[in-house]
Amino acid sequence: MNRVPDFTDSERAVVAQTVKERFGKDVEVQSADAEIRMFPDDRELTEVPVLYWAERGCQFVIFKVSESRYRNQFFYFVREQFGTGRDEYDNIGDCVVTLLRVQADHEAQRSGH
């Protein structure tokens, strides 16, 4: 199986700018790799590129699973992981905006607002 292509400079810029707009400051978005199951029944893990950042006690991850296909999640602790209710996105902008919106709603709910 071919390796999933890394995030492009354009994809990274969209994520960095959107995260900056959400939090009102520059937030370091780091590159990493993760091993995930591409399909629920897969026994083998596939290494994929990841964009990761942390802010306000929350950690965010965007996984690139193929050319122009993305997954996302946010978490506070290993046992407290959340998704957006959508399995995959075909647009990096939609992926990051939805992730940040769902987390903002969750943050407000946690704080009782």
Side-chain angles (χ1 to χ4, degrees):
M1 178 179 238
N2 293 337
R3 177 162 161 66
V4 175
D6 203 358
F7 286 91
T8 65
D9 290 343
S10 175
E11 290 167 327
R12 291 174 200 277
V14 167
V15 171
Q17 181 60 37
T18 307
V19 169
K20 180 178 182 175
E21 289 172 10
R22 162 68 171 93
F23 294 109
K25 65 178 185 175
D26 286 322
V27 175
E28 182 182 6
V29 176
Q30 301 175 31
S31 297
D33 291 312
E35 291 185 330
I36 64 170
R37 286 187 176 84
M38 296 299 266
F39 303 97
D41 294 337
D42 282 355
R43 292 177 155 234
E44 299 292 320
L45 298 175
T46 301
E47 188 173 296
V48 299
V50 170
L51 293 179
Y52 163 88
W53 66 96
E55 188 62 32
R56 295 186 188 166
C58 186
Q59 300 172 69
F60 300 82
V61 183
I62 296 179
F63 305 90
K64 186 169 184 177
V65 295
S66 69
E67 190 70 38
S68 299
R69 304 287 305 169
Y70 315 93
R71 296 180 188 169
N72 59 25
Q73 73 178 47
F74 65 95
F75 58 96
Y76 298 90
F77 304 101
V78 173
R79 295 182 183 264
E80 196 177 14
Q81 299 178 15
F82 303 93
T84 61
R86 184 168 161 187
D87 292 336
E88 282 189 8
Y89 296 81
D90 60 6
N91 179 288
I92 190 74
D94 292 344
C95 181
V96 68
V97 165
T98 304
L99 178 64
L100 292 169
R101 281 186 185 151
V102 170
Q103 188 277 331
D105 291 347
H106 186 266
E107 183 179 70
Q109 198 171 32
R110 281 174 65 122
S111 67
H113 293 109

